[in-house]
């Protein structure tokens, strides 16, 4: 595996701005989530917002992906392709995963939202997934090891009996959307690399109500839970510092 990049102070400033702008896009799109909107409507709004900030949507055409945002509904874990005929309904949950490029530097973040009123079970899944991210980055300190993050996420999620997706993981990020290292969300026996200031990581728990097993649909992109129960996703771009980790994609 290639070496993990350590960002300079100048690069960190660019990544901070990339993260800040992406956080703003997420804040705006969250307001649009409602019954009756199509997933294509969300994609159109996302691209307009990103380009309005003078940035480029980094998902668009990435390895052939046809949209600016992945919109994954209910049992769709990730990479749902926006469509005009996919209409959000009351009680759905929807994950928005997207990123942008600012002056050559990438940011990446995901959120899961309820559409209108959702069940307590769905609400709990969303909350546990989000909290598992924060449990993980509580370990994201210089001198600790990468898999301290993985194990903290896993310990929290498994205590609720949820399934953790093994086929998809987090990643490093910088001048490329996906850089080393891979960041599992499931238990690890090895410690992984030592964390150092200047590393930038996209930490992204993908958590299922039932089994952690997944399947790919015929479109080649959309990943769904094997048992078709709900899935939630929460992600931020994180900077390793000399002290507390810095979340770049939260306002």
């Amino acid at each position: 595996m290639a070496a993990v990049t350590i960002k300079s102070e100048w690069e960190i400033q660019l990544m901070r701005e990339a993260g800040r702008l992406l956080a703003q896009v997420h804040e705006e799109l969250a307001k649009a989530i409602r019954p009756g909107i199509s997933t294509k409507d969300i994609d159109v709004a996302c691209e307009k917002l990103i380009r309005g900030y003078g940035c480029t949507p980094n998902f668009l055409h990435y390895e052939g992906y046809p949209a600016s945002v992945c919109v994954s509904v209910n049992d769709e874990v990730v990479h749902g392709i926006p469509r005009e005929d996919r209409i959000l309904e009351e009680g759905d949950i929807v994950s928005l995963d997207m990123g942008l490029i600012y002056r050559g530097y990438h940011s990446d973040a995901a959120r899961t939202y309820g559409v209108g009123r959702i069940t307590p079970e769905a609400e709990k899944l969303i909350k546990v997934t989000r909290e598992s991210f924060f449990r993980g980055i509580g370990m994201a300190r210089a001198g600790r090891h990468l898999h301290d993050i993985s194990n903290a996420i896993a310990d929290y999620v498994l205590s609720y009996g949820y399934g953790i997706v093994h086929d998809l993981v987090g990643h490093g990020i910088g001048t490329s959307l996906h850089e080393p290292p891979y960041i599992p969300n499931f238990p690890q026996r090895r410690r992984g690399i030592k964390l150092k200031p200047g590393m930038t990581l996209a930490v992204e728990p993908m958590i299922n109500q039932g089994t952690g097993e997944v399947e790919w649909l015929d479109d080649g992109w959309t990943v769904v839970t094997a048992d078709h129960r709900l899935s939630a996703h929460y992600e931020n771009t994180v900077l390793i510092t000399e002290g507390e980790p810095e979340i770049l994609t939260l306002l």
Side-chain angles (χ1 to χ4, degrees):
M1 179 182 289
V4 178
T5 60
I6 303 296
K7 309 312 188 288
S8 68
E9 188 56 40
W10 176 77
E11 290 178 300
I12 289 169
Q13 291 302 329
L14 293 177
M15 291 201 67
R16 281 192 178 113
E17 186 63 7
R20 184 186 70 82
L21 292 172
L22 182 59
Q24 290 184 345
V25 174
H26 265 293
E27 290 280 321
E28 289 300 314
L29 284 184
K31 300 173 186 176
I33 301 299
R34 63 183 184 278
I37 192 173
S38 77
T39 58
K40 180 63 175 178
D41 291 335
I42 296 170
D43 178 54
V44 170
C46 177
E47 182 172 0
K48 183 177 180 181
L49 284 164
I50 290 173
R51 295 196 186 281
Y53 286 126
C55 299
T56 304
N58 54 11
F59 283 22
L60 184 62
H61 307 312
Y62 182 78
E63 297 185 352
Y65 186 74
S68 297
V69 56
C70 299
V71 187
S72 305
V73 184
N74 293 334
D75 68 337
E76 296 172 351
V77 180
V78 287
H79 306 160
I81 298 175
R83 305 195 320 251
E84 290 182 0
D85 64 347
R86 188 65 188 271
I87 308 299
L88 297 184
E89 299 179 357
E90 184 90 16
D92 286 342
I93 68 171
V94 58
S95 299
L96 305 185
D97 184 10
M98 58 189 160
L100 58 78
I101 307 169
Y102 171 77
R103 294 178 60 184
Y105 285 81
H106 291 252
S107 55
D108 188 6
R111 309 280 187 266
T112 301
Y113 303 102
V115 181
R117 181 172 294 181
I118 63 175
T119 66
E121 293 79 12
E123 186 69 43
K124 180 180 177 182
L125 176 67
I126 292 171
K127 288 181 177 179
V128 169
T129 301
R130 182 181 187 276
E131 178 60 23
S132 74
F133 165 85
F134 288 99
R135 297 297 178 106
I137 67 155
M139 298 293 172
R141 289 175 169 270
R144 288 190 177 272
H145 288 77
L146 182 70
H147 294 161
D148 293 334
I149 298 173
S150 306
N151 291 329
I153 290 170
D155 288 348
Y156 184 73
V157 170
L158 293 174
S159 73
Y160 286 89
Y162 291 141
I164 302 173
V165 176
H166 284 220
D167 288 5
L168 301 154
V169 295
H171 51 91
I173 186 170
T175 54
S176 298
L177 175 57
H178 294 115
E179 296 184 352
Y182 298 124
I183 310 170
N185 300 302
F186 44 91
Q188 299 294 303
R189 295 179 66 182
R190 296 183 181 274
R191 302 182 75 189
I193 62 169
K194 185 173 285 189
L195 300 175
K196 298 178 181 179
M199 289 181 174
T200 43
L201 310 173
V203 179
E204 51 176 324
M206 290 159 275
I207 308 303
N208 300 345
Q209 259 186 340
T211 179
E213 297 296 317
V214 297
E215 299 171 350
W216 270 256
L217 298 186
D218 290 342
D219 62 21
W221 281 103
T222 308
V223 181
V224 300
T225 59
D227 58 6
H228 300 294
R229 297 182 70 188
L230 297 179
S231 184
H233 186 194
Y234 188 83
E235 175 186 21
N236 283 299
T237 301
V238 178
L239 169 68
I240 304 299
T241 74
E242 295 284 359
E244 294 281 341
E246 183 178 343
I247 304 175
L248 303 182
T249 46
L250 277 182
L251 295 178

